[in-house]
Each structure stands twice: as C-alpha cells, then as structure tokens.
Amino acid sequence: MKFVTENVNQTENIGFRLGAFLPYGSVIALFGDLGAGKTAFTRGFAKGMGLECDVHSPTFALVNEYRSPEKTLCHFDMYRISGFDDLYSTGFFDYLDSGASLIIEWSENIENILPDNCIRVYIEKNPLKDDCRNIEIIGCEEF
Ligand SMILES: Nc1ncnc2c1ncn2[C@@H]1O[C@H](COP(=O)(O)OP(=O)(O)OP(=O)(O)O)[C@@H](O)[C@H]1O
Ligand SMILES: [Mg+2]
C-alpha cells in the first residue's frame, strides 16, 4: 500500500490507522532517513493502539516502552546497532518473545534479523517538496 503525506499530521494519521488495524503483538519495521518521520508515524501508531503516552525517539535508551493495563508497545531505535551482539544486549529477543507489539526505527541496521512476518514501513522524503513523504507499507492487508 502506498500513501503520500503533505504534513506531519497526515503521517501520524497513517500510523494511527495502522496501529488501530493490526493485531496486538505485531512487529513493525520502519525504514527511512534522519527526519523522515519514523517517530511521527510511531506517535500515531501508539495512539491507534489506544495508548496515551509521550512518544519520543529512544535514541539513547534504545527502547521505550509505552504501556496501558492491557497492552505494551516497545519502540526501538537501532541507529547505533550494527550487529547481533549489540542487538542481543538491547534485550530485543526477549521483547520479541514477550508478545508485546514492537515498532523499530532504523530497521536497515537489523534487516537480516527481522522476523519474516513483520510489517515493513518505508518512509521517504520527497526531494522536490519539503513536507511531502512517500510511505509504502508492505506485508499487511488494506486498512
Ligand atoms: N509529511 C511529513 N511527515 C512526517 N514528518 C514531517 C512531514 N513533513 C514535515 N515533517 C517533519 O519532519 C520531522 C520528522 O521527524 P521524526 O522525528 O518523526 O523523524 P525520524 O524519522 O524519527 O528521524 P530520526 O531518524 O532522527 O529518529 C518532524 O520535524 C516533522 O515535523
Ligand atoms: Mg526518530
């Protein structure tokens, strides 16, 4: 599925719709450059799951957890992760086993370790229009 967004709210809105649509426990791999809108997408996604929380880049923590009594969303930033050992030390595999939903910024860096059934979201800046983003979502039905 492909979308074009013209501002940050529209990107959040696509995230919201995906978050409301996907079953709990889904793994979402985000791809896209610095400032593409991965965190904005995640903010919408968390709201779509019904989580009221302050979504921000977990660049230093590597993972943020957003919780409600029923659900947890684990938000990873793999910007500084380069290999299996690095990834192991973030607890990534424990989170995968936990049954929580996972959303992963900089999935480029763990491409060969992503679960086969993950949903892939590619966010690309439009080179000609500042606030435009091309978003492609692969691995899920229409929503
Ligand atoms: N159509 C759009 N969609 C998303 N963000 C947009 C859009 N147009 C402008 N922006 C701006 O681009 C920036 C996106 O920032 P965001 O933190 O979501 O990017 P990111 O991909 O998470 O970057 P990083 O790799 O540094 O974590 C915000 O400042 C946002 O306001
Ligand atoms: Mg980010």
Side-chain angles (χ1 to χ4, degrees):
M1 239 179 309
K2 290 185 177 177
F3 304 86
V4 175
T5 65
E6 294 183 337
N7 57 53
V8 64
N9 290 335
Q10 290 179 1
T11 296
E12 282 192 28
N13 192 250
I14 309 281
F16 181 95
R17 286 168 50 194
L18 188 66
F21 174 77
L22 288 179
Y24 184 53
S26 296
V27 178
I28 299 88
L30 304 177
F31 299 82
D33 234 329
L34 282 169
K38 301 178 294 296
T39 301
F41 189 95
T42 301
R43 191 169 297 119
F45 189 92
K47 276 192 205 137
M49 284 180 67
L51 300 171
E52 287 300 330
C53 49
D54 168 29
V55 170
H56 53 278
S57 253
T59 302
F60 297 103
L62 294 172
V63 56
N64 291 338
E65 292 179 37
Y66 312 121
R67 293 175 181 282
S68 75
E70 302 85 29
K71 292 179 182 171
T72 302
L73 176 64
C74 305
H75 177 196
F76 286 87
D77 189 325
M78 301 304 187
Y79 188 65
R80 289 182 173 73
I81 300 291
S82 58
F84 187 87
D85 288 348
D86 266 7
L87 186 61
Y88 199 82
S89 67
T90 68
F92 179 75
F93 298 102
D94 299 323
Y95 283 104
L96 258 185
D97 289 342
S98 76
S101 292
L102 271 53
I103 192 161
I104 308 156
E105 296 197 33
W106 291 100
S107 286
E108 288 88 340
N109 291 346
I110 62 157
E111 177 107 53
N112 50 0
I113 304 164
L114 289 170
D116 291 337
N117 62 350
C118 73
I119 315 297
R120 290 162 185 263
V121 178
Y122 295 87
I123 309 178
E124 205 179 64
K125 289 186 187 177
N126 184 314
L128 303 176
K129 276 175 139 186
D130 261 0
D131 288 349
C132 269
R133 302 290 188 269
N134 299 321
I135 301 178
E136 183 168 16
I137 302 180
I138 295 173
C140 81
E141 295 158 40
E142 272 190 43
F143 58 88

